[in-house]
């Protein structure tokens, strides 16, 4: 496989776009005892926790910058390498499948109720397999363009919703104590893209730490801004809608174009393609490290994701407990903090002995 | 050693015997009727002047070679060596002169319009440049019009093209490397570059690629382009083509490598950026505000050309809620009369337009105009009157195809992309169009040619270069020393 390199800014935008994708298809849990203000605070706490969680990866990158976590594990011990690779691979594949299902549900429920979900999922995955095959450089460069589109969309959305903004919709909820912990863990699980940092070390030549922390800061701003907009425009109505961000778009309109939700859907679809392609690229990259002689790695990753999506497509369910468990906040902590920390300590001990 | 023949002559040395040399050349040329052999004597030494009919200028050969040689008075006892020394050392005859001892070079010169002088008893030929074949004069480029720029364009003769470039860049830093390529035709190609602005590795890479081509001949720039394109499978290219010497020079000054090919008026520029498809020379002649305005018109035109019909199909079929009530009613009234599905209507309209365009291009100009008129007005009007296609759809298609002419360099990808998008939009609405747009964006962003990302300077983002992308600032600020492609972010030409 050719060694691709991307700039620190490109990694930052790429990660941010992956987070925005999760944010766009974000379903509020307000009906389950959360409020938006709880979620706003949970986001801040979750971001602080993430800033701590990524320290081992940053330290590892400082020690060995040209390899991913799985590559370092392989270079120390093959069995350890396989274990680490399997853990990362399973997480990324399940995380991707979750993303695909989440997006398919969003598209079919809100826009195309009569669409054949099997075909649409397959088409989406074919597109993503092709995009991941084109390499991380292409994806990183595209993410810059798509991010500009997202910002334009957000500004437009805010501008057109200006008349509907009611600041009294935002009130500080003092009863969040009981639900805050679960809101934080929920937010951590939604930030699965942070594990990408463990794999991307080999692709970014410099300013890796800067990239990681700028991402956390900008992600927090983006999340808070979107949540704030949803709260002040929709108020309590946000609790009754599946996709509040999209609903804000549906509210926005001008005389010529009545609703903007379909236009925003275009940008969300492009964001989804970038996000899923990045995950497929990483999954196939892990296969490449573990089984270098294997061919059609991108296709294999895509087919596995499709197979993982089948239970959802057949049953019509939104969530399967096993998938939720694999891509939970605990998995994120394991993959971004625990494993890199063990590898880092191992590396330190090895260097000391040497 | 056997005598040289048509298939095997390249490294054969010339003989001392004039007769043997003439017979060998006739044998190599296989008795071709355009080979002219003129025997004559100077003093008592037998000489021969060879040339190819139609390749040399009769007046030049008469004035510069025949008259001086026939008027040459030499003692009768002069030896062939002395005569050769006199002609080669004391007579200038032609400015472009070469000496060869091999048939390979001799034949190549002969084919390039040189006259070859052979002297009996001397195994060296004197090649004299007296080319005079018919060439097209320098005229306005047919494919790249402009308003305030120069009006001369490249022609089919590579040496004329070389002079058009040299006249604009009068610097010893401008290098022309001439060499022959292809296995059969020995086509002259010239690599042009500014020595201080292009990495040597890039030039060597390009030379190697050209020399390793397995082509028998080059009859157009399109033959060479695939060999110079490092990019993956894509609708877009990492090299560009220009017919304008001023554009060519501008690219050389930006650190690109140019390729002039004998026999084609289209020069190749390597590497090329996607954003350059939206820049014209007029942008730099107009006032900055107007140039910026035109540039945004072109960006918009590109998007309209590629996606407007698809958006129309997608919105009318799947997302009618986007339009306001008045517009929706107008469209519904127009479309409910039509017998065909909307997507079929659009594809038929677009394909019909392509047929008319192709007919207009291939036919003689006088007839081509009539075909455009009949196709565009009469058929279009009849189709609407007959109720086969609707008025709004025809309007959308017309705007889209007209917009594609605003960026002619992208006409090929846009034509195909437009039809693919219409199909995607017809099958799955805006979702399908979004998928196509995503694929196109990632595809074009992943393209690199000789270490230069095709989407640069947009992505990877180079803020300094944006003053000639998002806007066109004034020359006082734009004229920065050494603003080359190598200085863009993400470029690795070394």
């Amino acid at each position: 496989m050719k060694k691709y390199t991307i700039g620190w800014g490109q990694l930052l935008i790429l990660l941010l776009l992956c987070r925005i994708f999760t944010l766009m298809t974000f379903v509020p849990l307000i009906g389950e005892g959360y409020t938006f203000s709880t979620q706003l605070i949970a986001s801040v706490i979750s971001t602080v926790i993430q800033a701590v969680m990524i320290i081992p990866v940053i330290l590892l990158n400082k020690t060995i910058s040209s390899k991913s976590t799985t590559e370092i594990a392989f270079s120390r011990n093959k069995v350890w390498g396989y274990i680490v690779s399997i853990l990362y691979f399973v997480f990324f594949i399940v995380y991707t499948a979750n993303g695909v299902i989440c997006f398919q549900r969003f598209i079919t429920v809100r826009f195309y109720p009569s669409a054949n979900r099997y075909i649409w999922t397959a088409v989406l995955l074919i597109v993503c397999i092709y995009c991941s095959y084109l390499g991380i450089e292409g994806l990183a460069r595209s993410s810059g363009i798509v991010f500009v589109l997202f910002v334009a969309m957000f500004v437009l959305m805010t501008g057109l919703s200006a008349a509907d903004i009611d600041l009294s919709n935002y009130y500080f909820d003092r009863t969040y104590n009981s639900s805050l912990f679960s809101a934080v863990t929920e937010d951590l699980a939604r930030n699965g893209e942070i594990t990408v940092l463990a794999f991307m070390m080999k692709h970014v030549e410099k300013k890796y730490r800067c990239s990681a922390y700028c991402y956390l800061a900008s992600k927090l701003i983006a999340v808070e801004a979107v949540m704030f907009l949803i709260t002040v425009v929709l108020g309590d109505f946000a609790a009754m809608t599946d996709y509040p961000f999209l609903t804000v778009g549906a509210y926005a309109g001008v005389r010529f174009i009545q609703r903007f939700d379909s236009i925003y859907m275009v940008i969300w679809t492009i964001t989804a393609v970038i996000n899923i392609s990045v995950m497929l690229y990483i999954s196939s990259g892990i296969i490449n490290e573990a089984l270098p002689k294997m061919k059609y790695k991108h296709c294999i990753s895509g087919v596995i994701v499709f197979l993982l999506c089948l239970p959802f497509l057949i049953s019509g369910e939104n969530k399967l407990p096993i998938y939720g468990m694999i891509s939970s906040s605990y998995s994120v902590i394991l993959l971004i903090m625990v494993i890199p920390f063990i590898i880092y300590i191992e590396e330190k001990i090895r260097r000391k002995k040497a | 050693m056997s005598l040289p023949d048509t298939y095997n002559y390249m490294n054969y040395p010339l003989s001392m015997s004039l007769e043997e040399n003439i017979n060998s050349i006739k044998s190599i040329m296989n008795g071709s009727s355009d080979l002219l052999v003129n025997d004559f004597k100077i003093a008592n030494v037998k000489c021969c002047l060879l040339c190819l009919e139609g390749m040399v200028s009769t007046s030049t050969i008469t004035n510069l070679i025949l008259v001086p040689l026939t008027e040459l008075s030499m003692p009768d006892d002069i030896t062939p060596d002395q005569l050769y020394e006199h002609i080669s050392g004391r007579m200038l005859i032609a400015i472009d002169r070469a000496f060869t001892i091999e048939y390979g070079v001799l034949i190549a010169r002969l084919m390039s319009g040189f006259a070859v002088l052979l002297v009996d008893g001397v195994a060296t030929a004197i090649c004299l440049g007296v080319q005079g074949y018919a060439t097209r004069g320098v005229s306005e480029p047919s494919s790249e019009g402009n308003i305030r720029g120069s009006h001369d364009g490249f022609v089919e003769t590579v040496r004329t093209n070389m002079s058009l470039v040299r006249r604009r860049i009068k610097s010893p830093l401008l290098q022309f490397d001439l060499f022959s390529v292809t296995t059969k035709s020995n086509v002259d190609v010239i690599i042009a570059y500014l020595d201080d602005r292009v990495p040597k590795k890039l030039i060597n890479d390009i030379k190697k690629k050209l020399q390793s081509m397995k082509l028998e001949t080059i009859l157009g720039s399109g033959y060479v382009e695939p060999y110079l394109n490092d990019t993956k499978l894509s609708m877009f290219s990492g090299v560009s083509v220009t017919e304008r010497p001023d554009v060519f020079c501008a690219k050389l000054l930006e650190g690109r490598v140019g390729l002039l090919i004998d026999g084609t008026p289209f020069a190749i520029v390597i590497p090329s950026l996607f954003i350059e498809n939206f820049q014209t020379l007029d942008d730099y002649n107009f006032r900055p505000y107007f140039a910026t305005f035109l540039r945004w018109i072109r960006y918009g035109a590109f998007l309209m050309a590629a996606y407007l019909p698809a958006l129309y199909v997608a919105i009318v079929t799947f997302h009618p809620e986007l339009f306001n009530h008045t517009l929706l009613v107008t469209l519904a009234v127009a479309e409910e009369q039509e017998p065909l599905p909307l997507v079929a209507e659009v594809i038929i309209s677009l394909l019909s337009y392509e047929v008319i365009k192709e007919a207009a291009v291939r036919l003689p100009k006088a007839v081509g105009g009539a075909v455009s008129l009949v196709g565009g007005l009469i058929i279009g009007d009849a189709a609407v009157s007959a109720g086969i296609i609707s008025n709004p759809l025809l309007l959308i298609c017309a705007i889209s195809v007209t917009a594609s002419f605003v960026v002619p360099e992208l006409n090929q990808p846009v034509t195909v992309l437009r039809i693919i998008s219409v199909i995607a939009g017809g099958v799955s609405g805006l979702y399908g169009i979004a998928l196509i747009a995503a694929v196109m964006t990632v595809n074009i962003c992943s393209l690199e040619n000789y270490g230069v990302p095709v989407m640069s300077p947009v992505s990877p983002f180079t803020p300094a270069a944006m003053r000639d992308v998002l806007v066109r600032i004034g020359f006082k600020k734009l004229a920065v020393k050494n603003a080359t492609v190598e200085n863009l972010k993400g470029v690795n030409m070394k």
Side-chain angles (χ1 to χ4, degrees), chain A residues 2 4 10 103-104 107 111-112 120 123-124 127 130-131 133-135 137-142 144-145 255-259 261-263 265-266 269-270 273-274, chain B residues 232-234 318-319 321-327 427-435 437-439 441-443 445-448 453-455 458-461 490:
Chain A
K2 181 190 164 189
Y4 293 101
Q10 287 179 324
F103 182 69
Q104 278 312 123
I107 285 286
F111 293 97
Y112 307 97
W120 283 43
V123 170
L124 175 72
V127 165
Y130 174 69
C131 291
Y133 161 77
L134 290 173
E137 286 185 331
L139 290 168
R141 287 173 198 152
S142 315
I145 296 168
R255 195 175 175 279
F256 180 67
I257 298 173
Q258 298 279 68
R259 297 161 64 99
D261 48 355
S262 302
I263 295 172
M265 183 266 283
V266 171
T269 306
I270 300 173
V273 171
I274 301 276
Chain B
K232 295 166 190 165
L233 187 66
S234 175
F318 290 94
H319 312 276
E321 75 279 1
L322 254 74
F323 290 140
N324 67 27
H325 183 256
T326 318
L327 186 61
V427 172
S428 51
L430 289 175
Y431 174 68
I433 297 174
L435 288 183
V439 168
T441 310
V442 178
N443 180 284
C445 285
S446 67
L447 297 183
E448 265 187 28
V454 171
M455 269 309 273
V458 175
S459 192
F461 187 62

Side-chain angles (χ1 to χ4, degrees), chain B residues 124-361:
Chain B
T124 306
I126 305 170
C127 307
L128 306 160
V130 284
Q131 291 94 332
Y133 36 76
T135 56
R136 185 169 64 91
V138 174
S139 59
E140 191 159 2
S142 56
S143 61
E144 289 172 81
N146 80 17
I147 299 168
R148 283 184 55 187
S150 71
H151 290 264
D152 53 351
F154 283 132
V155 291
E156 286 75 7
T157 325
V158 76
R159 282 170 177 80
T160 311
N161 294 342
M162 198 159 64
S163 72
L164 289 171
V165 177
R166 177 64 77 186
R167 264 167 39 197
R168 287 173 168 85
I169 305 176
K170 299 181 181 82
S171 162
L173 288 169
L174 173 63
Q175 301 283 305
F176 290 114
D177 293 353
L178 191 148
F179 54 100
S180 300
V181 291
T182 69
T183 53
K184 285 267 185 290
S185 306
N186 288 322
V187 179
D188 285 342
V189 295
I190 292 172
I191 291 183
Y193 57 94
L194 282 171
D195 199 45
D196 61 334
R197 300 203 173 179
V198 184
K200 283 277 176 281
K201 188 182 172 290
L202 176 62
I203 295 162
N204 291 335
D205 281 355
I206 292 170
K207 272 186 190 168
K208 266 185 207 163
K209 280 196 177 173
L210 289 172
Q211 280 163 340
S212 65
M213 287 191 305
K214 299 283 181 221
L215 287 172
E216 290 194 333
T217 187
I218 301 171
L219 300 175
S221 59
Y223 283 50
V224 186
E225 274 180 62
Y227 293 92
L228 299 170
N229 230 333
D230 250 359
T231 54
K232 295 166 190 165
L233 187 66
S234 175
M235 280 192 194
F236 302 94
S237 174
V239 299
S240 64
V241 167
T242 182
E243 214 181 339
R244 304 189 61 87
D246 42 14
V247 172
F248 188 80
C249 291
K251 303 291 177 208
L252 295 187
L253 287 163
E254 287 173 1
R256 323 297 174 86
V257 176
L259 196 69
L260 300 166
I261 303 164
D262 198 27
T264 170
F266 291 94
I268 296 175
V269 177
I270 319 144
S272 161
L273 306 177
F274 179 71
I275 211 76
E276 287 169 342
N277 294 310
F278 302 93
Q279 297 170 343
T280 68
L281 199 77
D282 273 336
D283 290 355
Y284 304 95
N285 289 318
F286 292 148
R287 300 284 299 278
Y289 73 90
F290 189 64
T292 304
F293 169 73
L294 284 184
R295 201 162 279 179
W296 279 96
I297 290 280
R298 279 182 219 120
Y299 296 144
F302 167 69
L303 292 174
M304 279 202 288
Y307 295 114
L308 189 63
L311 287 173
Y312 178 75
V313 170
I315 294 172
V316 171
T317 314
F318 290 94
H319 312 276
E321 75 279 1
L322 254 74
F323 290 140
N324 67 27
H325 183 256
T326 318
L327 186 61
L328 202 58
V329 169
T330 311
L331 294 177
V333 167
E335 291 301 337
E336 73 179 355
Q337 308 290 330
E338 308 309 325
L340 295 170
L342 188 60
V343 64
E345 273 183 64
V346 176
I347 290 175
I348 289 169
S349 305
L350 292 174
L351 291 180
S352 307
Y353 156 72
E354 292 302 328
V355 169
I356 294 165
K357 190 179 85 175
E358 195 58 18
V361 170

Side-chain angles (χ1 to χ4, degrees), chain A residues 112-134:
Chain A
Y112 307 97
S114 57
N116 184 322
R117 290 183 301 160
Y118 295 93
I119 294 175
W120 283 43
T121 307
V123 170
L124 175 72
L125 279 170
I126 289 168
V127 165
C128 295
I129 290 169
Y130 174 69
C131 291
S132 70
Y133 161 77
L134 290 173

Side-chain angles (χ1 to χ4, degrees), chain A residues 238-258:
Chain A
M240 286 179 259
T241 175
D242 270 355
Y243 299 102
F245 196 27
L246 185 83
T247 309
V248 175
Y251 266 67
V254 289
R255 195 175 175 279
F256 180 67
I257 298 173
Q258 298 279 68

